[in-house]
Amino acid sequence: LAYGPLSDRFGRRPTLITGLFMFFLASLACALAGSIEQLIVARFFQALGCCAPTVIGRAIVRDVHGAEGTARMLGYIIAGMSLLICAWPMIGGQLEQQLGWRAVFALHALAGGGVLLAAWMFLAESNRQPDPAATGIGHIFAGYRVLLSDRRFIGYALCNAFTYGGIMAFLYSASFVLMGVLGLAAWQFGLMLGLAISGYILGSLVTARVVTRVGIKRLMQFGSTLGAAAGIIMTVLALSGIHTVTAIIVPYFFFLVATGLNQPSAMAGAIGPFPRMAGTASALLGFVQLGSGALIGSLVGALHDGTPVPMAVGIALCSLAVLASHHFIVGRTADRGRV
């Protein structure tokens, strides 16, 4: 919530560099931690630092590419992130096994330092109209009031939040279900997770290729319907007692295809109409996304009963909520361009 207004006032570049520097120092502190308490504190500041590229990266894309171009570029960005999600756990696992857990945080510091150096050397400022009043308390709350009274922002933010909630419903339960209940080995679990994530990559790349032709609303109409169908099928199979890896991973693959269609589009739809406060819009969007994801994932995890049912029901309810948010809120807003 802080990075958005700060980047609207002082610019994207200095705010991003500050966050990356915090991440770099905190990663070093994690690697050198002498107790679990020190590690937890260092991890807190590491997370605080890595919020900067998450929030400000979306705002930079909006600054440079406009409303519809944002959806296209976020499709490519999320596809790339998905590849990293597949690769980094395997890299981290090997590092931990060969060199110990401190090597994982040393790699964090190395990666963070590399991104920090690249941003310092090559990143140009994209906020051409900084707002000197953006960090005033009254101005911040006024900005949030504007966003929270705009049906487009609310609708797209809810679509994004419930989509992320479906992912968290899976991640909070998948290891217990697939390894603890269905007996997959760790490497098999990683393979199944990578297979599912390939659906996310596919959906994101489709978004990048077609969104400028079909528009955000039409693309999300298809994506939200596909996601709801996948969630319902997973739930029906789970309630019918068909508790197999295939009955979980195949529907989840199509849920992630839908996520790749929905998430870049929803992010662009939420931020696109607000060029003067793109940082603030991105920050509030991220706050709603992470807060709802943590709540939904924790609830599904707490309801774990040794079967895939709570996970499947959580994904289905989130998918239906995306469909309802798009139909009843986004679908009833006036078109502005093709958003």
Side-chain angles (χ1 to χ4, degrees):
L1 291 176
Y3 283 124
L6 286 171
S7 73
D8 285 340
R9 176 178 179 180
F10 297 107
R12 316 294 185 216
R13 186 176 185 274
T15 311
L16 176 61
I17 287 174
T18 300
L20 289 171
F21 187 62
M22 185 189 304
F23 176 82
F24 171 70
L25 292 180
S27 298
L28 290 177
C30 288
L32 299 173
S35 68
I36 186 62
E37 292 80 12
Q38 292 177 8
L39 179 61
I40 291 171
V41 171
R43 282 285 283 172
F44 172 83
F45 285 100
Q46 191 185 37
L48 192 62
C50 78
C51 285
T54 303
V55 170
I56 298 171
R58 289 191 295 253
I60 291 174
V61 173
R62 171 61 183 87
D63 293 339
V64 175
H65 295 282
E68 280 196 359
T70 297
R72 181 173 63 86
M73 292 308 300
L74 285 176
Y76 287 123
I77 290 169
I78 290 176
M81 289 174 58
S82 302
L83 287 172
L84 292 177
I85 290 171
C86 291
W88 279 102
M90 293 183 285
I91 296 171
Q94 287 298 315
L95 276 176
E96 192 277 334
Q97 186 174 2
Q98 300 297 326
L99 301 175
W101 64 267
R102 295 182 189 274
V104 176
F105 293 108
L107 180 60
H108 287 183
L110 181 64
V115 176
L116 173 62
L117 181 63
W120 181 272
M121 295 178 62
F122 303 115
L123 183 66
E125 179 57 59
S126 64
N127 184 2
R128 302 300 182 188
Q129 296 179 307
D131 184 356
T135 53
I137 296 298
H139 192 280
I140 290 174
F141 281 106
Y144 288 149
R145 281 197 302 270
V146 169
L147 293 170
L148 293 174
S149 63
D150 189 287
R151 288 178 62 90
R152 292 166 300 172
F153 181 86
I154 293 173
Y156 284 120
L158 287 176
C159 288
N160 182 60
F162 285 120
T163 296
Y164 188 72
I167 295 175
M168 290 298 102
F170 179 85
L171 293 180
Y172 270 65
S173 304
S175 60
F176 298 104
V177 173
L178 293 174
M179 291 194 291
V181 177
L182 299 180
L184 290 186
W187 70 269
Q188 293 173 317
F189 174 73
L191 182 63
M192 290 298 101
L193 188 59
L195 177 63
I197 291 173
S198 67
Y200 197 12
I201 297 171
L202 175 62
S204 300
L205 290 176
V206 169
T207 296
R209 294 296 299 271
V210 308
V211 68
T212 54
R213 294 200 300 270
V214 304
I216 290 174
K217 279 188 178 180
R218 288 178 60 194
L219 188 62
M220 286 193 66
Q221 183 177 4
F222 176 78
S224 59
T225 303
L226 175 63
I232 290 171
I233 290 172
M234 184 189 291
T235 300
V236 169
L237 292 173
L239 291 173
S240 301
I242 305 175
H243 299 165
T244 66
V245 174
T246 301
I248 295 171
I249 293 299
V250 172
Y252 189 61
F253 171 87
F254 285 101
F255 169 80
L256 287 184
V257 172
T259 298
L261 300 174
N262 291 330
Q263 203 164 45
S265 302
M267 289 178 178
I271 300 171
F274 306 99
R276 290 297 306 274
M277 49 190 295
T280 299
S282 178
L284 184 58
L285 180 73
F287 176 80
V288 173
Q289 171 185 315
L290 293 176
S292 60
L295 180 63
I296 293 168
S298 297
L299 180 61
V300 171
L303 294 174
H304 176 61
D305 61 356
T307 74
V309 172
M311 177 180 68
V313 171
I315 292 173
L317 290 177
C318 287
S319 300
L320 290 170
V322 173
L323 182 63
S325 298
H326 184 266
H327 179 74
F328 291 109
I329 304 178
V330 174
R332 296 184 179 181
T333 58
D335 283 319
R336 303 285 180 87
R338 296 184 63 169
V339 175

PDB file of all heavy atoms in Angstrom, residues 171-189:
ATOM      1  N   LEU A 171      -2.575 -24.512  -3.413  1.00  0.00           N
ATOM      2  CA  LEU A 171      -1.230 -24.582  -2.860  1.00  0.00           C
ATOM      3  C   LEU A 171      -1.226 -24.888  -1.367  1.00  0.00           C
ATOM      4  O   LEU A 171      -0.303 -25.526  -0.865  1.00  0.00           O
ATOM      5  CB  LEU A 171      -0.493 -23.273  -3.133  1.00  0.00           C
ATOM      6  CG  LEU A 171      -0.170 -22.978  -4.604  1.00  0.00           C
ATOM      7  CD1 LEU A 171       0.564 -21.654  -4.744  1.00  0.00           C
ATOM      8  CD2 LEU A 171       0.663 -24.108  -5.210  1.00  0.00           C
ATOM      9  N   TYR A 172      -2.245 -24.411  -0.639  1.00  0.00           N
ATOM     10  CA  TYR A 172      -2.296 -24.681   0.793  1.00  0.00           C
ATOM     11  C   TYR A 172      -2.604 -26.146   1.088  1.00  0.00           C
ATOM     12  O   TYR A 172      -2.361 -26.618   2.198  1.00  0.00           O
ATOM     13  CB  TYR A 172      -3.362 -23.805   1.457  1.00  0.00           C
ATOM     14  CG  TYR A 172      -2.866 -22.469   1.955  1.00  0.00           C
ATOM     15  CD1 TYR A 172      -2.406 -21.501   1.080  1.00  0.00           C
ATOM     16  CD2 TYR A 172      -2.866 -22.170   3.309  1.00  0.00           C
ATOM     17  CE1 TYR A 172      -1.969 -20.277   1.529  1.00  0.00           C
ATOM     18  CE2 TYR A 172      -2.427 -20.943   3.779  1.00  0.00           C
ATOM     19  CZ  TYR A 172      -1.979 -19.995   2.884  1.00  0.00           C
ATOM     20  OH  TYR A 172      -1.537 -18.777   3.337  1.00  0.00           O
ATOM     21  N   SER A 173      -3.156 -26.890   0.116  1.00  0.00           N
ATOM     22  CA  SER A 173      -3.598 -28.266   0.365  1.00  0.00           C
ATOM     23  C   SER A 173      -2.896 -29.294  -0.499  1.00  0.00           C
ATOM     24  O   SER A 173      -2.895 -30.484  -0.154  1.00  0.00           O
ATOM     25  CB  SER A 173      -5.115 -28.377   0.120  1.00  0.00           C
ATOM     26  OG  SER A 173      -5.830 -27.460   0.908  1.00  0.00           O
ATOM     27  N   ALA A 174      -2.321 -28.880  -1.618  1.00  0.00           N
ATOM     28  CA  ALA A 174      -1.873 -29.846  -2.625  1.00  0.00           C
ATOM     29  C   ALA A 174      -0.823 -30.810  -2.096  1.00  0.00           C
ATOM     30  O   ALA A 174      -0.882 -32.019  -2.378  1.00  0.00           O
ATOM     31  CB  ALA A 174      -1.338 -29.104  -3.850  1.00  0.00           C
ATOM     32  N   SER A 175       0.156 -30.322  -1.346  1.00  0.00           N
ATOM     33  CA  SER A 175       1.206 -31.222  -0.876  1.00  0.00           C
ATOM     34  C   SER A 175       0.633 -32.273   0.074  1.00  0.00           C
ATOM     35  O   SER A 175       1.016 -33.449   0.021  1.00  0.00           O
ATOM     36  CB  SER A 175       2.317 -30.420  -0.191  1.00  0.00           C
ATOM     37  OG  SER A 175       1.811 -29.705   0.921  1.00  0.00           O
ATOM     38  N   PHE A 176      -0.308 -31.874   0.961  1.00  0.00           N
ATOM     39  CA  PHE A 176      -0.923 -32.838   1.881  1.00  0.00           C
ATOM     40  C   PHE A 176      -1.732 -33.880   1.120  1.00  0.00           C
ATOM     41  O   PHE A 176      -1.694 -35.066   1.446  1.00  0.00           O
ATOM     42  CB  PHE A 176      -1.825 -32.101   2.878  1.00  0.00           C
ATOM     43  CG  PHE A 176      -1.105 -31.126   3.744  1.00  0.00           C
ATOM     44  CD1 PHE A 176      -1.203 -29.768   3.513  1.00  0.00           C
ATOM     45  CD2 PHE A 176      -0.305 -31.557   4.799  1.00  0.00           C
ATOM     46  CE1 PHE A 176      -0.535 -28.858   4.306  1.00  0.00           C
ATOM     47  CE2 PHE A 176       0.370 -30.658   5.597  1.00  0.00           C
ATOM     48  CZ  PHE A 176       0.254 -29.309   5.361  1.00  0.00           C
ATOM     49  N   VAL A 177      -2.480 -33.418   0.100  1.00  0.00           N
ATOM     50  CA  VAL A 177      -3.340 -34.338  -0.637  1.00  0.00           C
ATOM     51  C   VAL A 177      -2.524 -35.242  -1.554  1.00  0.00           C
ATOM     52  O   VAL A 177      -2.661 -36.480  -1.528  1.00  0.00           O
ATOM     53  CB  VAL A 177      -4.391 -33.558  -1.446  1.00  0.00           C
ATOM     54  CG1 VAL A 177      -5.175 -34.500  -2.362  1.00  0.00           C
ATOM     55  CG2 VAL A 177      -5.350 -32.821  -0.513  1.00  0.00           C
ATOM     56  N   LEU A 178      -1.678 -34.635  -2.375  1.00  0.00           N
ATOM     57  CA  LEU A 178      -0.984 -35.411  -3.403  1.00  0.00           C
ATOM     58  C   LEU A 178       0.138 -36.274  -2.838  1.00  0.00           C
ATOM     59  O   LEU A 178       0.372 -37.395  -3.325  1.00  0.00           O
ATOM     60  CB  LEU A 178      -0.436 -34.474  -4.482  1.00  0.00           C
ATOM     61  CG  LEU A 178      -1.502 -33.755  -5.317  1.00  0.00           C
ATOM     62  CD1 LEU A 178      -0.856 -32.745  -6.258  1.00  0.00           C
ATOM     63  CD2 LEU A 178      -2.332 -34.750  -6.120  1.00  0.00           C
ATOM     64  N   MET A 179       0.843 -35.780  -1.823  1.00  0.00           N
ATOM     65  CA  MET A 179       1.923 -36.586  -1.235  1.00  0.00           C
ATOM     66  C   MET A 179       1.445 -37.362  -0.012  1.00  0.00           C
ATOM     67  O   MET A 179       1.667 -38.564   0.105  1.00  0.00           O
ATOM     68  CB  MET A 179       3.110 -35.684  -0.873  1.00  0.00           C
ATOM     69  CG  MET A 179       3.835 -35.127  -2.086  1.00  0.00           C
ATOM     70  SD  MET A 179       5.461 -34.401  -1.709  1.00  0.00           S
ATOM     71  CE  MET A 179       4.976 -32.950  -0.778  1.00  0.00           C
ATOM     72  N   GLY A 180       0.763 -36.670   0.917  1.00  0.00           N
ATOM     73  CA  GLY A 180       0.363 -37.333   2.154  1.00  0.00           C
ATOM     74  C   GLY A 180      -0.751 -38.342   1.979  1.00  0.00           C
ATOM     75  O   GLY A 180      -0.772 -39.385   2.649  1.00  0.00           O
ATOM     76  N   VAL A 181      -1.701 -38.051   1.079  1.00  0.00           N
ATOM     77  CA  VAL A 181      -2.859 -38.935   0.904  1.00  0.00           C
ATOM     78  C   VAL A 181      -2.677 -39.873  -0.287  1.00  0.00           C
ATOM     79  O   VAL A 181      -2.899 -41.087  -0.179  1.00  0.00           O
ATOM     80  CB  VAL A 181      -4.153 -38.111   0.734  1.00  0.00           C
ATOM     81  CG1 VAL A 181      -5.346 -39.028   0.487  1.00  0.00           C
ATOM     82  CG2 VAL A 181      -4.395 -37.244   1.962  1.00  0.00           C
ATOM     83  N   LEU A 182      -2.273 -39.312  -1.418  1.00  0.00           N
ATOM     84  CA  LEU A 182      -2.181 -40.120  -2.644  1.00  0.00           C
ATOM     85  C   LEU A 182      -0.794 -40.727  -2.863  1.00  0.00           C
ATOM     86  O   LEU A 182      -0.602 -41.480  -3.819  1.00  0.00           O
ATOM     87  CB  LEU A 182      -2.585 -39.269  -3.852  1.00  0.00           C
ATOM     88  CG  LEU A 182      -4.028 -38.737  -3.800  1.00  0.00           C
ATOM     89  CD1 LEU A 182      -4.343 -37.908  -5.039  1.00  0.00           C
ATOM     90  CD2 LEU A 182      -5.025 -39.886  -3.659  1.00  0.00           C
ATOM     91  N   GLY A 183       0.166 -40.376  -2.016  1.00  0.00           N
ATOM     92  CA  GLY A 183       1.434 -41.095  -1.998  1.00  0.00           C
ATOM     93  C   GLY A 183       2.471 -40.692  -3.019  1.00  0.00           C
ATOM     94  O   GLY A 183       3.416 -41.453  -3.270  1.00  0.00           O
ATOM     95  N   LEU A 184       2.356 -39.516  -3.627  1.00  0.00           N
ATOM     96  CA  LEU A 184       3.383 -39.089  -4.565  1.00  0.00           C
ATOM     97  C   LEU A 184       4.683 -38.779  -3.838  1.00  0.00           C
ATOM     98  O   LEU A 184       4.678 -38.231  -2.731  1.00  0.00           O
ATOM     99  CB  LEU A 184       2.932 -37.837  -5.326  1.00  0.00           C
ATOM    100  CG  LEU A 184       1.803 -37.969  -6.345  1.00  0.00           C
ATOM    101  CD1 LEU A 184       1.606 -36.652  -7.081  1.00  0.00           C
ATOM    102  CD2 LEU A 184       2.067 -39.092  -7.339  1.00  0.00           C
ATOM    103  N   ALA A 185       5.803 -39.112  -4.479  1.00  0.00           N
ATOM    104  CA  ALA A 185       7.105 -38.674  -3.978  1.00  0.00           C
ATOM    105  C   ALA A 185       7.279 -37.190  -4.265  1.00  0.00           C
ATOM    106  O   ALA A 185       6.566 -36.602  -5.084  1.00  0.00           O
ATOM    107  CB  ALA A 185       8.208 -39.482  -4.650  1.00  0.00           C
ATOM    108  N   ALA A 186       8.265 -36.591  -3.591  1.00  0.00           N
ATOM    109  CA  ALA A 186       8.470 -35.149  -3.752  1.00  0.00           C
ATOM    110  C   ALA A 186       8.753 -34.786  -5.211  1.00  0.00           C
ATOM    111  O   ALA A 186       8.227 -33.797  -5.729  1.00  0.00           O
ATOM    112  CB  ALA A 186       9.613 -34.681  -2.856  1.00  0.00           C
ATOM    113  N   TRP A 187       9.575 -35.607  -5.892  1.00  0.00           N
ATOM    114  CA  TRP A 187       9.898 -35.279  -7.279  1.00  0.00           C
ATOM    115  C   TRP A 187       8.670 -35.453  -8.175  1.00  0.00           C
ATOM    116  O   TRP A 187       8.489 -34.691  -9.137  1.00  0.00           O
ATOM    117  CB  TRP A 187      11.060 -36.144  -7.779  1.00  0.00           C
ATOM    118  CG  TRP A 187      10.738 -37.595  -7.982  1.00  0.00           C
ATOM    119  CD1 TRP A 187      10.874 -38.601  -7.081  1.00  0.00           C
ATOM    120  CD2 TRP A 187      10.224 -38.205  -9.174  1.00  0.00           C
ATOM    121  NE1 TRP A 187      10.476 -39.796  -7.609  1.00  0.00           N
ATOM    122  CE2 TRP A 187      10.083 -39.588  -8.900  1.00  0.00           C
ATOM    123  CE3 TRP A 187       9.878 -37.726 -10.435  1.00  0.00           C
ATOM    124  CZ2 TRP A 187       9.606 -40.494  -9.843  1.00  0.00           C
ATOM    125  CZ3 TRP A 187       9.403 -38.627 -11.378  1.00  0.00           C
ATOM    126  CH2 TRP A 187       9.272 -39.987 -11.087  1.00  0.00           C
ATOM    127  N   GLN A 188       7.807 -36.417  -7.861  1.00  0.00           N
ATOM    128  CA  GLN A 188       6.581 -36.592  -8.633  1.00  0.00           C
ATOM    129  C   GLN A 188       5.617 -35.429  -8.407  1.00  0.00           C
ATOM    130  O   GLN A 188       4.961 -34.967  -9.346  1.00  0.00           O
ATOM    131  CB  GLN A 188       5.912 -37.913  -8.242  1.00  0.00           C
ATOM    132  CG  GLN A 188       6.685 -39.153  -8.647  1.00  0.00           C
ATOM    133  CD  GLN A 188       6.077 -40.420  -8.092  1.00  0.00           C
ATOM    134  OE1 GLN A 188       5.669 -40.472  -6.922  1.00  0.00           O
ATOM    135  NE2 GLN A 188       5.996 -41.459  -8.917  1.00  0.00           N
ATOM    136  N   PHE A 189       5.548 -34.964  -7.175  1.00  0.00           N
ATOM    137  CA  PHE A 189       4.721 -33.796  -6.870  1.00  0.00           C
ATOM    138  C   PHE A 189       5.212 -32.583  -7.653  1.00  0.00           C
ATOM    139  O   PHE A 189       4.411 -31.835  -8.242  1.00  0.00           O
ATOM    140  CB  PHE A 189       4.751 -33.504  -5.376  1.00  0.00           C
ATOM    141  CG  PHE A 189       4.052 -32.228  -4.988  1.00  0.00           C
ATOM    142  CD1 PHE A 189       2.668 -32.137  -5.002  1.00  0.00           C
ATOM    143  CD2 PHE A 189       4.778 -31.115  -4.624  1.00  0.00           C
ATOM    144  CE1 PHE A 189       2.021 -30.963  -4.650  1.00  0.00           C
ATOM    145  CE2 PHE A 189       4.147 -29.932  -4.269  1.00  0.00           C
ATOM    146  CZ  PHE A 189       2.762 -29.857  -4.280  1.00  0.00           C
TER     147      PHE A 189
END
